[in-house]
Amino acid sequence: MQHLYSQLRIEKEERQPVYLQLADQLMSLIRNGPLHAGQRLPSSRDMAEQLQVHRKTVVRAYDELLAQGWLESHTGSGTFVARHLPKTQLQTLNGKKSDAPDPPTKAGFSFEVPVHLERPIVKSVAPLHLDDGFPDSRLAPLEELSRCYRSQLLLGNPYMRLGYSDTNGTLWLRQELSAYLNETRGLHTTPDNILVVRGTIMGMYLVATGLLQPGDNVVTGDLSWAGAGANAAQVGAHLLKIPVDEYGLDTTALEQLCKKKKIRLVYVTPHHHYPTTVIMRADRRLHLLQLAEKYGFIIFEDDYDYDFHYLSKPLTPLASADKAGMVMYGGSFTKAVSPAFRIGYLVGPADVLNYLSKLRRIIDRQGDNMLENAIAALLQSGVIQRCLRKSLRIYRERRDVFCDLLQTELGKYVQFQPPVGGLAVWADFDKRINMAALSQQALRQDLYIYDGSAYRQSLPAHNFTRLGFASSTPEELEECVGILKVLLGK
């Protein structure tokens, strides 16, 4: 038994107090079996001598374990491992000895990761980037946001300000959002028609979880945002895909599908289709709304970059012409401020949002009150609106610069149409180019581009990818294109 306690190691240079180091190690010996229920521990004096620590340190460690129920003390007899603890053995349920466990990295129970969750997470890892269409956070009104956030932290009644709030989102933000969306998008909302969420993806999750049942049919374009399909799969719905062409989602194909199958939800990005950036033509928009009313399916309208349209005034959303209450409209401030600030909104009939707010409550009691009210202040003062106008002008210039560079420097390698809106170019590289290899070579030159592998599943005869231009200055775009030109010319 003396050998057992010789395994104890005290590191006096560590930040953790010595008595807690000793308590944790003794607890581990009890939990893993070497110390058994009812076993007597050395006296505090003997343990202190063996470990070369002060006796009071050992007493504190024993007291800690006594308080937690791992030890018990009997006056005049000493300190023992608590007798009520079960005998611990490292074995499996079938009685066979288990392999050495590694709880920090491997669970002791079985589970499966569904295929639809195996999606790469895009992170900002390279100083140069032609990304998926991210905004330039250098343009965000960070100083104004910082001041508003600080005011929310310091001013007002702290019990109200820092306590629990409405699951739907703060009333102030919903009021400002209602006015903002009504003015800029032609919606007809009140605060009751808005549920504040942490981004469009959270809104999609709530709609899928709350309004879909296993076996329901969900329709997307054959090229579409993978998150929509993942949410459908998560609830056991069937994902059906229809064509997307230069005029957006093919609603004639959708109508034919509706005649054969009961459709529960259609996911669509009509303003700038993701990933192709094309606009859904007006007649198809009207047709889609008519089909929703006739066949009773939900439309989830993801308006992820409404504010960035370059040729004319942005087209009003489907939700603005929805007379039957069939559209759930999702958006966020990801592009207006930064992806780091998770503020989005879900717009729809008040009864549906009231139900979805109850669902939201069991996964996320409420959002960030401070951030929500800070965004409300920026909307009320017009800061976000001014920032969007400035960003639109800058992004238009960057689009023009980038498209000119693509045409003049990479014209023999890539085909594209200048986008009328959005923050990325839908580019078709020569089929002979190995996009996976090009992506890796570019990354070694500190340039990130996506290899487009997900798009080739739907378009195997092409070599499409998205090249985001908005997050880079003209000088950075020129450097990016220069790197690609060298790599492609080898």
Side-chain angles (χ1 to χ4, degrees):
M1 191 55 61
Q2 191 74 11
H3 171 71
L4 176 63
Y5 298 114
S6 68
Q7 300 176 30
L8 300 175
R9 292 289 181 267
I10 300 300
E11 301 292 342
K12 295 184 179 180
E13 301 302 319
E14 284 193 7
R15 296 181 63 180
Q16 186 183 35
V18 170
Y19 83 95
L20 287 180
Q21 292 182 46
L22 176 57
D24 287 347
Q25 293 181 56
L26 289 174
M27 190 190 308
S28 179
L29 292 176
I30 297 170
R31 186 188 293 114
N32 295 326
L35 284 177
H36 300 300
Q39 190 168 322
R40 188 177 188 278
L41 271 65
S43 68
S44 58
R45 188 183 304 277
D46 291 343
M47 181 70 83
E49 290 179 358
Q50 180 169 327
L51 299 178
Q52 295 298 300
V53 297
H54 198 284
R55 182 186 175 193
K56 289 184 178 179
T57 299
V58 178
V59 171
R60 288 191 68 185
Y62 282 7
D63 286 346
E64 180 72 20
L65 295 177
L66 285 167
Q68 294 187 30
W70 291 99
L71 301 181
E72 56 187 38
S73 179
H74 303 285
T75 303
S77 300
T79 303
F80 300 82
V81 178
R83 289 179 171 79
H84 66 269
L85 295 175
K87 186 175 181 179
T88 305
Q89 292 183 338
L90 295 177
Q91 61 181 27
T92 59
L93 293 178
N94 60 16
K96 295 181 180 179
K97 195 171 183 179
S98 69
D99 295 331
D102 186 17
T105 59
K106 188 173 179 61
F109 51 87
S110 62
F111 66 98
E112 294 183 4
V113 180
V115 175
H116 64 266
L117 296 183
E118 296 288 3
R119 299 166 55 210
I121 297 177
V122 178
K123 300 178 183 178
S124 302
V125 295
L128 296 172
H129 33 77
L130 298 173
D131 48 45
D132 192 55
F134 301 156
D136 190 343
S137 297
R138 292 169 292 190
L139 303 178
L142 299 183
E143 291 186 8
E144 295 89 341
L145 178 60
S146 176
R147 288 195 293 269
C148 290
Y149 199 96
R150 177 179 171 84
S151 296
Q152 292 304 311
L153 286 173
L154 300 178
L155 302 179
N157 184 327
Y159 183 82
M160 301 289 292
R161 186 180 72 250
L162 302 176
Y164 287 111
S165 182
D166 196 327
T167 307
N168 293 279
T170 64
L171 178 59
W172 186 15
L173 178 56
R174 288 187 289 121
Q175 289 172 333
E176 292 301 325
L177 274 173
S178 177
Y180 171 72
L181 295 174
N182 292 349
E183 178 182 354
T184 61
R185 288 152 171 77
L187 302 187
H188 309 282
T189 69
T190 70
D192 291 338
N193 299 119
I194 296 173
L195 173 61
V196 178
V197 290
R198 294 191 184 271
T200 304
I201 193 167
M202 184 178 185
M204 183 67 199
Y205 176 84
L206 292 174
V207 167
T209 305
L211 302 179
L212 298 180
Q213 297 291 330
D216 281 348
N217 291 314
V218 173
V219 176
T220 69
D222 53 7
L223 280 170
S224 185
W225 176 52
N231 274 287
Q234 184 66 20
V235 297
H238 298 307
L239 185 63
L240 306 174
K241 297 187 177 184
I242 58 176
V244 175
D245 58 24
E246 66 269 30
Y247 305 117
L249 197 72
D250 187 343
T251 55
T252 300
L254 175 61
E255 184 173 19
Q256 295 304 313
L257 187 59
C258 288
K259 292 177 181 178
K260 300 174 183 177
K261 297 178 179 290
K262 175 66 176 176
I263 305 302
R264 176 58 172 165
L265 182 143
V266 174
Y267 170 84
V268 64
T269 49
H271 199 218
H272 305 128
H273 179 76
Y274 183 91
T276 68
T277 76
V278 299
I279 296 176
M280 179 180 275
R281 203 168 57 187
D283 60 319
R284 292 191 180 184
R285 291 167 174 253
L286 293 174
H287 191 204
L288 179 57
L289 288 169
Q290 292 166 358
L291 291 176
E293 188 171 355
K294 179 177 180 179
Y295 291 101
F297 59 75
I298 304 162
I299 298 173
F300 189 99
E301 181 178 13
D302 181 355
D303 213 355
Y304 65 99
D305 60 2
Y306 173 88
D307 297 288
F308 305 112
H309 194 73
Y310 306 122
L311 294 187
S312 60
K313 183 179 178 181
L315 282 70
T316 54
L318 294 170
S320 67
D322 177 25
K323 305 303 181 183
M326 308 305 293
V327 179
M328 301 299 296
Y329 179 80
S332 76
F333 288 99
T334 296
K335 304 294 191 296
V337 183
S338 168
F341 300 103
R342 307 306 300 164
I343 292 289
Y345 44 85
L346 187 62
V347 180
D351 57 345
V352 175
L353 294 183
N354 184 50
Y355 160 54
L356 294 182
S357 72
K358 293 179 171 62
L359 175 61
R360 184 253 176 87
R361 186 178 179 182
I362 67 174
I363 60 170
D364 186 24
R365 169 59 178 80
Q366 65 189 52
D368 182 339
N369 288 355
M370 303 297 101
L371 180 58
E372 289 182 15
N373 283 336
I375 294 294
L378 294 183
L379 283 170
Q380 187 179 67
S381 63
V383 168
I384 286 183
Q385 295 88 326
R386 290 192 294 273
C387 178
L388 285 170
R389 289 193 293 270
K390 175 184 176 183
S391 298
L392 177 64
R393 184 181 70 256
I394 291 173
Y395 292 157
R396 182 192 291 113
E397 294 172 354
R398 292 180 181 181
R399 179 205 61 170
D400 294 343
V401 168
F402 185 55
C403 289
D404 183 62
L405 286 168
L406 285 181
Q407 186 62 50
T408 57
E409 303 297 323
L410 303 180
K412 62 181 180 180
Y413 304 111
V414 62
Q415 294 181 339
F416 67 96
Q417 290 293 327
V420 297
L423 307 181
V425 169
W426 181 236
D428 190 8
F429 281 77
D430 189 296
K431 194 68 173 70
R432 293 168 294 183
I433 297 171
N434 185 325
M435 292 299 292
L438 178 63
S439 176
Q440 290 300 315
Q441 292 165 3
L443 195 57
R444 288 194 286 271
Q445 299 293 321
D446 291 330
L447 168 62
Y448 168 81
I449 63 168
Y450 176 51
D451 64 13
S453 54
Y455 310 134
R456 284 191 289 279
Q457 297 176 15
S458 300
L459 297 171
H462 293 270
N463 233 355
F464 277 110
T465 193
R466 278 169 64 90
L467 300 176
F469 55 81
S471 58
S472 302
T473 65
E475 294 75 20
E476 291 165 343
L477 290 171
E478 186 173 355
E479 189 174 355
C480 292
V481 172
I483 292 172
L484 289 180
K485 183 178 180 181
V486 172
L487 294 175
L488 291 170
K490 288 183 178 179

